[in-house]
Amino acid sequence: MESNASEVSLDLFPYLKVYKNGTLERIAGVEVVPPGLDPETNVLSKDIVIIPETGVSARIYVPNLISEDRKLPLVVYFHGGAFCVASPAFPPYHTSLNKLVAEANIIALSVDYRLVPEHPLPTAYEDSWAALQWIASHKDEDGNQEAWIKDYVEFEQVFLAGDSAGGNIAHHLALRIKESNLGQKLKILGIGMIHPYFWGASPIGPELNDRSRKELVDKWWLYVCRTDKGCDDPLINPFVDGESADLAGLACDRILIIVAEKDILKGRGWLYYDKLVKSGWKGKAEIMETEGEDHVFHIFNPDCDNANRLIKRLASFFNQGKLPFQ
């Protein structure tokens, strides 16, 4: 018979289990693959420490045949995993970034922010913010600098992107940039949000007819962010008061929101789009819905036709702002 110490006190399927003795077991997102030259896409990657004080690192990707006389857009990518699992080295994310860099001909920096519960929120947001500050520091002549960014990045063409929790992070960073000095050093052209992780206590859209999945996502967030605001915490519900005025302060010119037909989060993505176009924000909002697919399908089934279409759509979005000589 199982002892009390080894009994599961919380099962956050499909991510992790917490045992009564306090032990944490991550089930998903634990596998890692090393960086290097990907033979299928001819994309080169390496891991770098970007914030020595905290040990926060990133995986940076470049096309293998890049030259210093041709600057490329930079996409700062934030992976998903409900803030508690996965990393840039997780094989499905590594594959996805290789495909995106090859298709779009860009530089990508995938941030390895620290995870809950070892590092409670808002640590993931602060690590991601520190990564943007580090990128902006490359405009100066000193500091902890990376040659691939210094030599190859067009700093007037920086994008934020992420799936699930990463899309949530990108949203909050874009709001924060507007009110900071960082906005003077780093121009964010656009944000690509793939199946963004927004939520709320009151069900909307597909949540109304899928009580079990609604309760499951509720449980994820209540574990990740233990505040008295629950699923209406502003970190997860940007429209808790029914207002969208804050979106007018997003520091970018274009936003692409991608949702999936069978995703329980789909209604939140559509709500974000609707609120955005009514907010007074001066940029261009776009939305794409993939039929017949569920949450982050492109990460776990990267070779399917719909995944290829999604990557091509993102690539087109990132290339709309390229300078004429590129």
Side-chain angles (χ1 to χ4, degrees), residues 19 40 43 60 66 82 91 140 149 153 169 201 234 240 254 258 293 297 313 317:
Y19 294 89
E40 292 187 14
V43 168
I60 186 170
I66 195 170
D140 304 324
I149 291 180
V153 165
I169 290 173
V240 64
R254 292 185 285 117
I258 300 178
E293 301 290 359
F297 72 92
R313 183 67 185 85
F317 178 75

Side-chain angles (χ1 to χ4, degrees), residues 110-160:
S110 184
V111 180
D112 193 11
Y113 56 84
R114 289 172 290 175
L115 302 174
V116 171
E118 295 90 343
H119 304 281
L121 293 181
T123 299
Y125 298 99
E126 295 303 324
D127 287 349
S128 301
W129 179 253
L132 292 188
Q133 292 178 310
W134 175 78
I135 291 167
S137 74
H138 286 72
K139 285 192 168 184
D140 304 324
E141 294 300 324
D142 52 8
N144 173 29
Q145 298 196 335
E146 165 56 44
W148 285 6
I149 291 180
K150 189 77 172 178
D151 295 341
Y152 302 141
V153 165
E154 175 50 67
F155 285 97
E156 299 303 313
Q157 298 178 49
V158 177
F159 294 83
L160 307 181

Side-chain angles (χ1 to χ4, degrees), residues 34-304:
L37 179 62
D38 178 56
E40 292 187 14
T41 60
N42 202 30
V43 168
L44 189 61
S45 60
K46 64 179 177 180
D47 292 336
I48 54 176
V49 175
I50 57 177
I51 315 295
E53 296 81 5
T54 60
V56 172
S57 64
R59 182 162 291 189
I60 186 170
Y61 298 80
V62 299
N64 191 33
L65 300 178
I66 195 170
S67 61
E68 289 187 26
D69 59 353
R70 187 184 183 193
K71 306 292 186 181
L72 297 179
L74 172 67
V75 173
V76 187
Y77 194 88
F78 308 100
H79 68 81
F83 296 98
C84 59
V85 298
S87 72
F90 184 45
Y93 278 117
H94 183 65
T95 296
S96 183
L97 267 291
N98 277 324
K99 287 178 174 289
L100 180 59
V101 169
E103 181 67 35
N105 195 34
I106 55 172
I107 312 295
L109 183 88
S110 184
V111 180
D112 193 11
Y113 56 84
R114 289 172 290 175
L115 302 174
V116 171
E118 295 90 343
H119 304 281
L121 293 181
T123 299
Y125 298 99
E126 295 303 324
D127 287 349
S128 301
W129 179 253
L132 292 188
Q133 292 178 310
W134 175 78
I135 291 167
S137 74
H138 286 72
K139 285 192 168 184
D140 304 324
E141 294 300 324
D142 52 8
N144 173 29
Q145 298 196 335
E146 165 56 44
W148 285 6
I149 291 180
K150 189 77 172 178
D151 295 341
Y152 302 141
V153 165
E154 175 50 67
F155 285 97
E156 299 303 313
Q157 298 178 49
V158 177
F159 294 83
L160 307 181
D163 65 281
S164 197
N168 176 302
I169 290 173
H171 157 79
H172 285 287
L173 295 187
L175 284 177
R176 187 171 175 179
I177 288 172
K178 191 79 170 184
E179 305 300 325
S180 75
N181 293 330
L182 185 61
Q184 300 174 9
K185 300 182 69 174
L186 201 62
K187 168 66 175 175
I188 304 298
L189 274 190
I191 307 174
M193 296 184 188
I194 311 159
H195 312 158
Y197 184 22
F198 298 118
W199 203 237
S202 298
I204 64 171
E207 304 159 27
L208 293 165
N209 301 315
D210 197 339
R211 184 174 178 179
S212 61
R213 289 184 78 186
K214 173 71 168 71
E215 291 175 350
L216 185 63
V217 180
D218 284 349
K219 187 164 68 170
W220 295 344
W221 179 253
L222 295 175
Y223 174 75
V224 165
C225 186
R226 301 181 182 184
T227 69
D228 57 1
K229 297 175 183 177
C231 292
D232 279 337
D233 189 290
L235 289 177
I236 196 67
N237 186 357
F239 313 118
V240 64
D241 297 321
E243 300 295 331
S244 57
D246 285 352
L247 295 182
L250 288 166
C252 60
D253 298 329
R254 292 185 285 117
I255 293 180
L256 170 64
I257 303 154
I258 300 178
V259 298
E261 180 187 9
K262 297 181 178 180
D263 187 0
I264 191 68
L265 301 183
K266 180 182 78 169
R268 302 292 169 172
W270 273 104
L271 177 64
Y272 189 97
Y273 173 79
D274 291 338
K275 294 284 189 181
L276 181 60
V277 297
K278 297 173 183 175
S279 68
W281 177 65
K282 303 301 183 183
K284 179 183 178 183
E286 306 170 54
I287 190 163
M288 166 188 173
E289 180 171 333
T290 307
E291 295 182 358
E293 301 290 359
D294 211 328
H295 193 63
V296 297
F297 72 92
H298 66 295
I299 298 295
F300 295 102
N301 191 12
D303 296 320
C304 71

